[in-house]
Amino acid sequence: MAAEVRRFRQVRGMSAQQLADRCAELGMPIARSVLANFESGRRPTLSVAELLIIAQALRVPPVSLVFPVGYEERTEYLPGKKYDTFEAAQWFSGEVPGHGLSSSWQATEDDVAAFRETPFGVAQFREHERLVRSLVSHQLRADAKMKRAVQLGENFDPELHRALLQVAEEMTEATYRTAEEVAKIRAELREDGLTPPPLPYYLTPYFEEDIAPPPTAEEILARTDD
């Protein structure tokens, strides 16, 4: 991590003192000497809180300070164990269970199953986000084809008109199928004791649950004041 803190500090054109000042502005003072000792190796570790505040100060995701993706082909992901940097970063961010990271720490089929079944939220939220994006994409395509069909009119080109309506119908069906998948994963999240992420208000017609309307300008300003 020391090399990555130094790398991104230099990329930002910041001195160690400027980085220390920025950390203090963000709510967690870290002395310049602490940063200098860490970069030089005299201080071996950072706390999680320090890692997060330094990442924010440097405007980079925390994982980029732990795993130098693109800069190092292999990196130490556990003491004395190195592996492909990108795959190690995927494990760290909850995308993969760590299967194959090393022969001495090999994820078994039971490990992989446990990874998929454990309600740690990140993987389930990521799948939820993917499905919602897919739903919106289907909805937009259905609306666009229907609008085009109405604009052309049946008399302009009957064959094209029918084709547009057919695509619109297929996209509408895909929208509702995807909405069912979203509803399913939201139910699974609740069963696991997790709170599903909020849904966009314009998706209300596809779900039985109440979806909160977007905040008013006054509400947004009030939050900013807080």
Side-chain angles (χ1 to χ4, degrees), residues 3-154:
E4 300 316 302
V5 170
R6 181 169 56 252
R7 184 198 310 279
F8 288 110
R9 178 176 61 75
Q10 293 173 346
V11 166
R12 297 301 183 207
M14 300 173 74
S15 66
Q17 184 60 58
Q18 288 173 321
L19 178 55
D21 292 341
R22 182 56 182 151
C23 289
E25 290 173 3
L26 291 171
M28 184 177 181
I30 300 178
R32 186 204 66 79
S33 59
V34 171
L35 293 170
N37 287 337
F38 178 67
E39 289 188 12
S40 67
R42 291 189 295 273
R43 188 189 188 204
T45 62
L46 289 176
S47 69
V48 172
E50 289 170 332
L51 169 67
L52 296 179
I53 204 72
I54 290 172
Q56 180 64 16
L58 293 172
R59 304 194 304 282
V60 297
V63 67
S64 67
L65 298 182
V66 181
F67 297 105
V69 176
Y71 294 104
E72 300 290 341
E73 183 177 352
R74 296 170 66 83
T75 194
E76 187 176 45
Y77 67 97
L78 288 177
K81 297 179 173 59
K82 288 191 173 184
Y83 193 62
D84 178 88
T85 303
F86 178 60
E87 293 187 41
Q90 287 181 299
W91 164 67
F92 183 84
S93 62
E95 295 180 58
V96 296
H99 186 70
L101 285 180
S102 76
S103 57
S104 60
W105 193 55
Q106 187 84 8
T108 65
E109 291 184 5
D110 288 341
D111 292 331
V112 175
F115 173 85
R116 293 172 178 165
E117 295 169 1
T118 302
F120 58 84
V122 174
Q124 290 159 296
F125 269 55
R126 186 178 287 118
E127 178 63 9
H128 183 280
E129 180 182 32
R130 184 191 69 79
L131 288 171
V132 169
R133 287 183 178 179
S134 180
L135 189 160
V136 173
S137 176
H138 293 326
Q139 181 191 47
L140 291 176
R141 291 185 63 189
D143 291 347
K145 298 303 180 184
M146 181 62 72
K147 181 178 180 180
R148 182 62 174 162
V150 171
Q151 289 174 337
L152 291 177
E154 188 173 359

